[in-house]
Amino acid sequence: MPTHDQTDETPEFADSPVTEEERNHLSRRSVLRRAAGVGTVGLAVAVGGSAAAAALSSRSHGNTSTAQSADVTRVAGSGPIVIYLADPRSGEMDIFAGTGQTHHTNRAMAAMVASMAPGR
Amino acid sequence: MSSHREAPEIAKDPVADSTDVYAFVSPDQPDTVTLIANYIPLQGPAGGPNFYEFGDDVLYEIHIDNNGDGWPDITYQFRFQTQLRDPDTFLYNTGPILTLDSPNWNSRQTYTVTSVRYGNRKLLGSGLACPPCNIGPLSTPGYTQLAQAAVHNLPGEIKVFAGQRAEGFYVDLGAVFDLGDLRPFEQLHAQYGMQVFSTAGAGVNATAALNVHSIAIQVPTAQLRKSGAHGVGDPGAVIGVWTAASRQAVRVFDGGTTVSTGPFHQVSRLGNPLFNEVLIPLGLKDRWNSLPPSDDKQFASHVTNPELASLLPALYPGVFPNLAKLVQAGTARADLQAILLTGLPSGIVSGFQNNMGSVLADMLRLNTAIPPSSNPSSLGIIGGDLAGFPNGRRVADDVVSIELRAIAGATYPLVDKSYTPDGAAGQVTDGLSPASVPSGFLNNFPYLGVPYSGFSTPS
């Protein structure tokens, strides 16, 4: 059985042609497999702490209202949050914070972030 | 080299580059095992003012598998923190560093050690001081004592050290990477028709004046292997060891600072010396570094049919005729698979085994029931010394010659007694020995020699 899956500081491993038994053994890889499979065009959005959610909640390009910032103060934790849209068209995104990573699909949010990206 | 700059991506990231790993029954404390993982290769000792340091943003780990599945049962994790005492000076130190808390030492590192045993994390120590780099007689006088003060005792009768050491891995890089030249035999090299060498030469240790950063931990053997009494023939006496370094998934450069976030991803790994360096092809090396040993089955063909075995007869015409036939026949090298991927089962070498089952996994496999040798041979098992490589690895073991000879066919009779190795297979070497390491080695923890000082060995 995996010995480290419960720990925060446990390295993820790259995708690999492993057996089902081995795959269960390395359950945290599944997140990475999804991330690796969504395409080759990458867009990374990095914003610091609560400013991240503020930026994402604003549809204006770069303007953040006081009210929006106030909402963001309810977000727990500190430190940067990074959103990675490997392929904005798919709506699939990985969100990195602390030592964690989650995977979401949100086409509207992806389109919004993509519209704010330089050169898009 | 053993694993210095061995893959395209990690060659750009020396702070996370694992260069050597050692695992041996401590000669002066035979109820303990010493594990050493080296990082940050090829340090010119005079490399100031920003002397070498571990990465604060790197997760360093030493893994132990004690059930043969190629997956860690026990891990020691090391995280470093750098403190800058005076950001207004460009100097590493503003006077002699006489103690580990010297106010003259500007840029210092401390670290934490955490054990993960069967999924349970435990902080073993924090705020543990690293020694400074060895700068010279004005900055770091009494360096040996200064570094010895950085050996810390942890709960559970564990010792730990993390800091600069003299490079103990010896190899004739300059010749080997010049199209496989081995100076002691270079007159026999094909030389591509250029007739450069007419006589044999002496080996040159390319790492003779270089330092490295070591993480060394000495642990009571009973804490590493499976519980219960274990004789040499008991598979439970064997542990598999490898080291790894990981970085967080995302790194953002932001106004002069670097921000890391996300889960840790393994970027470097090392078990047997030269495994990724020599056996794994360039296009797969970065991938190999990202995987655990439990996934090594996919690389097995590079072990059983190594490229180097086909190169030796071509580079040294007429010197390896039997090896050439073996290669031409496409014979899978079960000897190399046993040595590097499963361990040697009982009945192959009298009085020895370090087999952990059928899982193909690159790990240093140490039979902890083999006592330290009172008369060690740097050639380890092929030199008749069961306490040396590939039974784990000691700091002075001549792993280059051992692996060269194994690949040249010297160990193939272990699995096929009808095979006669070429005469050269048992002699091939890059011409170096433990005496090629000017610093020498220590008789006690952390065993690797005192680092070369920048003053004495300028770049």
Side-chain angles (χ1 to χ4, degrees):
Chain A
M1 292 299 295
T3 57
H4 294 170
D5 279 0
Q6 297 79 21
T7 68
D8 290 336
E9 291 191 350
T10 301
E12 303 277 8
F13 297 106
D15 191 18
S16 174
V18 295
T19 64
E20 187 61 33
E21 182 182 357
E22 290 166 332
R23 188 168 291 115
N24 293 334
H25 203 67
L26 305 173
S27 57
R28 291 180 68 185
R29 292 178 181 176
S30 56
V31 171
L32 289 175
R33 289 207 176 85
R34 287 198 300 270
V38 294
T40 55
V41 179
L43 166 63
V45 181
V47 279
S50 58
L56 291 173
S57 66
S58 171
R59 287 183 180 274
S60 61
H61 292 247
N63 297 322
T64 304
S65 71
T66 302
Q68 286 164 336
S69 295
D71 289 338
V72 165
T73 61
R74 294 203 302 263
V75 176
S78 60
I81 298 171
V82 174
I83 301 174
Y84 177 56
L85 297 174
D87 179 1
R89 291 167 299 186
S90 73
E92 295 196 48
M93 63 189 73
D94 287 279
I95 303 178
F96 300 88
T99 57
Q101 174 183 358
T102 57
H103 185 82
H104 297 276
T105 302
N106 186 326
R107 286 179 179 273
M109 185 174 169
M112 182 183 69
V113 173
S115 72
M116 292 188 286
R120 301 248 177 173
Chain B
M1 283 172 280
S2 176
S3 194
H4 307 53
R5 298 172 47 81
E6 91 288 356
E9 283 304 311
I10 201 63
K12 304 167 193 165
D13 187 5
V15 166
D17 185 0
S18 56
T19 64
D20 280 288
V21 62
Y22 304 92
F24 53 92
V25 176
S26 314
D28 55 329
Q29 297 283 338
D31 57 343
T32 70
V33 167
T34 297
L35 310 169
I36 305 174
N38 285 353
Y39 288 88
I40 317 177
L42 307 176
Q43 299 176 15
N50 294 294
F51 286 95
Y52 306 90
E53 295 173 331
F54 291 105
D56 289 5
D57 52 355
V58 176
L59 169 63
Y60 299 94
E61 296 180 296
I62 297 176
H63 296 293
I64 298 98
D65 169 24
N66 61 21
N67 62 10
D69 62 358
W71 190 254
D73 297 296
I74 300 165
T75 295
Y76 295 98
Q77 297 182 328
F78 304 84
R79 296 299 310 273
F80 292 84
Q81 300 87 39
T82 303
Q83 296 100 37
L84 200 56
R85 180 161 287 186
D86 180 4
D88 294 326
T89 177
F90 74 97
L91 294 166
Y92 181 79
N93 57 299
T94 54
I97 302 172
L98 303 176
T99 60
L100 294 178
D101 59 356
S102 167
N104 293 330
W105 185 10
N106 191 27
S107 182
R108 67 188 65 216
Q109 283 197 307
T110 59
Y111 61 103
T112 62
V113 183
T114 303
S115 69
V116 186
R117 296 178 59 83
Y118 311 103
N120 299 312
R121 291 174 63 84
K122 182 180 180 184
L123 181 67
L124 296 180
S126 62
L128 305 168
C130 296
C133 289
N134 192 358
I135 300 168
L138 296 180
S139 292
T140 50
Y143 190 86
T144 298
Q145 291 72 31
L146 190 61
Q148 198 60 37
V151 173
H152 303 285
N153 293 311
L154 302 178
E157 299 181 51
I158 296 171
K159 281 184 192 172
V160 68
F161 170 89
Q164 194 179 44
R165 293 282 91 190
E167 176 61 270
F169 172 67
Y170 44 96
V171 62
D172 191 346
L173 284 179
V176 168
F177 287 136
D178 190 11
L179 291 170
D181 178 31
L182 298 166
R183 294 187 215 247
F185 308 94
E186 61 190 1
Q187 78 280 15
L188 303 175
H189 195 289
Q191 303 182 48
Y192 297 87
M194 289 187 280
Q195 305 299 318
V196 178
F197 313 115
S198 57
T199 59
V204 176
N205 181 13
T207 69
L210 301 176
N211 293 323
V212 72
H213 263 52
S214 300
I215 298 172
I217 188 165
Q218 189 172 77
V219 183
T221 308
Q223 295 181 28
L224 298 178
R225 64 187 182 188
K226 287 192 213 174
S227 60
H230 301 291
V232 172
D234 185 343
V238 183
I239 58 172
V241 177
W242 72 101
T243 188
S246 300
R247 285 189 176 280
Q248 288 182 273
V250 181
R251 193 159 32 156
V252 177
F253 299 94
D254 183 10
T257 63
T258 303
V259 177
S260 296
T261 189
F264 282 89
H265 291 252
Q266 185 177 292
V267 296
S268 182
R269 153 164 84 110
L270 178 57
N272 282 294
L274 302 164
F275 192 99
N276 198 23
E277 174 106 10
V278 171
L279 298 175
I280 305 299
L282 263 172
L284 295 175
K285 286 177 187 291
D286 293 328
R287 176 177 175 73
W288 186 90
N289 264 334
S290 73
L291 297 171
S294 54
D295 281 358
D296 281 343
K297 183 178 179 181
Q298 64 191 286
F299 304 106
S301 65
H302 302 292
V303 176
T304 55
N305 297 91
E307 182 182 8
L308 182 57
S310 62
L311 291 176
L312 284 171
L315 291 174
Y316 296 87
V319 177
F320 299 101
N322 295 344
L323 175 63
K325 288 178 195 161
L326 201 61
V327 170
Q328 205 164 24
T331 308
R333 295 291 301 276
D335 57 326
L336 299 178
Q337 177 169 300
I339 291 168
L340 298 171
L341 290 176
T342 63
L344 289 163
S346 295
I348 301 288
V349 175
S350 178
F352 178 76
Q353 65 87 21
N354 65 348
N355 182 268
M356 296 185 76
S358 59
V359 174
L360 303 179
D362 171 42
M363 302 185 285
L364 275 180
R365 288 175 173 80
L366 174 66
N367 188 322
T368 58
I370 302 283
S373 172
S374 56
N375 184 26
S377 165
S378 63
L379 292 174
I381 290 179
I382 67 169
D385 177 2
L386 300 182
F389 183 78
N391 184 25
R393 180 186 173 190
R394 298 169 300 196
V395 290
D397 283 345
D398 185 358
V399 293
V400 172
S401 295
I402 295 168
E403 291 197 358
L404 270 175
R405 292 178 189 191
I407 289 172
T411 53
Y412 192 61
L414 292 175
V415 297
D416 182 355
K417 298 201 183 309
S418 68
Y419 178 78
T420 303
D422 297 302
Q427 300 174 43
V428 67
T429 176
D430 62 347
L432 301 174
S433 72
S436 307
V437 179
S439 70
F441 299 92
L442 305 182
N443 293 323
N444 47 29
F445 189 81
Y447 302 101
L448 290 170
V450 173
Y452 307 103
S453 80
F455 179 87
S456 302
T457 46
S459 300

